[in-house]
Amino acid sequence: MAKTEKTALEDAIDMLKSDHDEVDEMFGDYKKLMDYEASAAKRKSLATEICDALTQHAELEEQVFYPAAREYIKE
């Protein structure tokens, strides 16, 4: 495997791990909003952020991670 391919795959994995951590933290924040009976507007705002982050995460998987992983598996 060429070094650049390995680096691209490793970079994608690092980004995905970071996304997982970020979304996990946001879900924790959302739970706190629920526990403290925050307004629907605050919950909706955070829910929108979570959905946006998950959408970006899915796009990263589809456009970067999966193609890099497929190339790695071929070799």
Side-chain angles (χ1 to χ4, degrees), residues 16-57:
L16 291 171
K17 285 180 181 179
S18 178
D19 286 353
H20 285 178
D21 293 343
E22 180 182 329
V23 171
D24 188 48
E25 187 174 322
M26 285 192 278
F27 275 116
D29 292 344
Y30 190 88
K31 183 178 181 330
K32 288 176 189 171
L33 291 177
M34 295 297 294
D35 290 346
Y36 294 108
E37 299 179 1
S39 70
K42 284 185 179 181
R43 292 191 317 263
K44 181 180 179 181
S45 176
L46 183 53
T48 299
E49 285 183 51
I50 292 169
C51 289
D52 290 345
L54 290 172
T55 298
Q56 290 174 354
H57 177 84

